[in-house]
Amino acid sequence: MNRQTVDPAALDDPAAIEAADPGGMLRQVASSAAQIREAGRAAVEAGIDRLAEDGRPRAIVVAGMGGSGISGDVLAAVCGLGCPVPIVTVRGYQLPGWVGAADLVIAVSCSGGTEETLAVATEAARRGARLLFVGGADSPLAAMAAQTRALFVPVRSAGQPRATLWGLTVPLLLAARTLGLADVQDDTLEATATLLEDVSHRCRPASEAFVNPAKRIALELAGDVPMVWGTSPLAGTAAYRFCCQLNENAKYPGVYGDLPEVDHNQVVAFDGFFARSGGGSDDPDDFFRDRTEDADHGLHLVVLRDLDEHPQVLKRREVSVELARARGVAVTEIAAEGEHPLERIATLIALGDYVTVYLAIALGVDPTPVSAIQELKARIA
C-alpha cells in the first residue's frame, strides 16, 4: 500500500471524522465504561451469585465466536496463571470430549444467535454441565436458557459485537468472583471504567493527532504490516484483540503473538521480505529486491507492554526492539495503565480499539460494516 492512499488530514476535522464513521463505531468504542457499569448491574440482577451454590467447577469452558469469544480470553487473562481452575475458550461447533457435569460451560453470544455457540451450548446441556448463558435478550440463546434452566445474563449490544466486549465480559468476571477465582471487586470495576473514560477523553475526535495517541499510532501504522506482540499472557490477549480489530474495523491485516514465543519464530521476519533494510537478492534488477528495499513501508512492530513482565521477558523485549530498529523495522510501544490485571488489559484493548477505527478513517474505509462476514454467512446458510 502506498502512502498516497492514506489521508492524514482525514483525522484533523471532527466533522469529517463523524462523516467518515456513519455507523458510529467511535461512539460504540467510547461506551466501554458505561458497559462495565451496566453489565455489572445486569449480572447481579440475573442472580450471578447463585453459581456459588454448587461449589467450584472442575473447569470453565467459554463458548463464543469473534467479538464474543474474546470474553473468554479476557477472563483467563484476568484470573491469571495462578487460577486453580483451567479456563478454556472454544471457538467452533464442538465441545471437548472431557467436558461433563463437573464443569461450567459459559455460552456467550452478543446476538444470541451464533450457530457455533448454540451448538456447543446444546451439547453442554445434553451432557449435564453447569450452564451460564450471556447474550442478547429475546434470542435463541435466551430461549435455550429458559428450556435448560440455565442462568442467563442479558446484554444490550453497543451496536456491533466487537464493540460490546465489556458488556459480554463483566458477567464472566463476576461469575469468576462468585466462584472465588478472581479478585474483581466493585471498586475494581469502577476504577477500570474510570480509566476507560480517561482513554476515551485522550482519544476523542476533537483531540489533534500530536496529542491524541490513537490518531498518532494509526498514522504511523498506515501502509505497514503490523506485528503486535504482548509481553505477558495478559498483553498477548490484548495483542490478539488488536489484530482482530485491525481486521474488522480497518479491513487490514495484522500478525499477533506474545513473548517469549515470538522470539522463537516471528522475530526472524525482521530479516525477510517485509523488513525495510533486509531481504531481497543481490541482483539490482530483481523485482523483489526493488519492492523490499525501496518501499517506504514494511513491518511495524507494536509492543504491548504489561507492567507485570517476567524478568527474562523484559530482557527479551528490550533486545527484540533493538533488533527490529537495527533492521529498519518501525517500533511502537504501548504501555498498560493501572495496577489490577483488569485495568491493565482494559487500557491496552481500549487504545487498540481507537487506533483501528482511526486507521480505517485515514484509509477511507468505513469501520463498521463487515460485508465479507455477512456474505459468507449468507452463502453457507
Side-chain angles (χ1 to χ4, degrees):
M1 182 176 294
N2 296 321
R3 179 63 72 178
Q4 287 77 4
T5 64
V6 180
D7 182 13
L11 302 184
D12 291 340
D13 181 5
I17 291 173
E18 184 174 5
D21 181 24
M25 183 55 69
L26 281 173
R27 288 194 297 274
Q28 294 179 43
V29 172
S31 72
S32 294
Q35 289 179 40
I36 288 180
R37 296 177 178 122
E38 181 177 341
R41 292 191 294 269
V44 171
E45 291 170 1
I48 199 77
D49 290 344
R50 296 206 306 270
L51 286 176
E53 295 174 359
D54 295 323
R56 182 177 289 177
R58 178 181 61 175
I60 295 177
V61 177
V62 180
M65 305 298 298
S68 300
I70 189 71
S71 63
D73 300 330
V74 174
L75 173 66
V78 173
C79 289
L81 295 175
C83 183
V85 168
I87 300 173
V88 179
T89 300
V90 172
R91 293 177 168 89
Y93 295 92
Q94 295 179 299
L95 192 63
W98 53 263
V99 177
D103 306 303
L104 171 64
V105 175
I106 307 177
V108 184
S109 171
C110 188
S111 67
T114 307
E115 66 175 26
E116 298 96 329
T117 305
L118 291 172
V120 172
T122 299
E123 179 62 17
R126 188 187 70 79
R127 296 189 197 177
R130 295 165 61 180
L131 301 173
L132 167 62
F133 295 167
V134 179
D138 301 319
S139 67
L141 188 65
M144 185 182 295
Q147 293 169 359
T148 60
R149 298 184 179 179
L151 181 62
F152 180 74
V153 179
V155 173
R156 183 169 61 88
S157 175
Q160 292 291 320
R162 63 187 184 275
T164 314
L165 173 62
W166 299 109
L168 297 166
T169 302
V170 167
L172 277 59
L173 295 172
L174 294 187
R177 181 180 76 180
T178 296
L179 296 169
L181 303 176
D183 182 18
V184 181
Q185 303 306 316
D186 290 345
D187 58 353
T188 302
L189 292 173
E190 181 56 34
T192 303
T194 300
L195 271 174
L196 290 177
E197 287 174 332
D198 184 57
V199 173
S200 291
H201 178 73
R202 281 178 272 159
C203 298
R204 66 194 186 280
S207 177
E208 297 181 353
F210 69 92
V211 293
N212 184 321
K215 289 183 179 181
R216 174 179 55 78
I217 295 170
L219 293 174
E220 290 174 354
L221 289 179
D224 286 351
V225 180
M227 295 178 71
V228 189
W229 292 358
T231 64
S232 70
L234 180 151
T237 296
Y240 171 67
R241 163 72 173 193
F242 195 113
C243 289
C244 290
Q245 294 291 80
L246 281 170
N247 301 158
E248 292 197 70
N249 288 337
K251 288 64 180 176
Y252 204 85
V255 180
Y256 75 92
D258 52 15
L259 289 158
E261 172 64 15
V262 288
D263 278 349
H264 294 264
N265 36 63
Q266 290 186 26
V267 69
V268 184
F270 295 167
D271 291 324
F273 180 80
F274 287 101
R276 287 172 174 81
S277 62
S281 73
D282 293 328
D283 180 358
D285 296 323
D286 190 313
F287 170 72
F288 293 102
R289 173 190 171 98
D290 291 342
R291 286 188 64 188
T292 304
E293 295 186 357
D294 296 338
D296 291 333
H297 310 296
L299 285 180
H300 194 125
L301 178 61
V302 180
V303 181
L304 304 187
R305 294 174 50 181
D306 195 1
L307 302 180
D308 184 14
E309 296 175 352
H310 188 282
Q312 285 300 110
V313 167
L314 189 153
K315 293 179 185 178
R316 286 180 173 274
R317 167 175 59 79
E318 293 175 342
V319 174
S320 296
V321 167
E322 291 172 1
L323 290 174
R325 287 181 169 144
R327 287 157 171 77
V329 175
V331 178
T332 297
E333 297 189 68
I334 300 172
E337 302 175 43
E339 297 182 3
H340 192 278
L342 178 58
E343 295 174 309
R344 304 198 314 264
I345 196 169
T347 53
L348 288 174
I349 286 174
L351 184 55
D353 287 356
Y354 276 105
V355 167
T356 57
V357 176
Y358 282 127
L359 177 59
I361 293 170
L363 295 172
V365 172
D366 185 342
T368 302
V370 284
S371 301
I373 293 177
Q374 298 305 325
E375 180 180 348
L376 190 150
K377 287 182 178 179
R379 291 176 65 172
I380 67 172

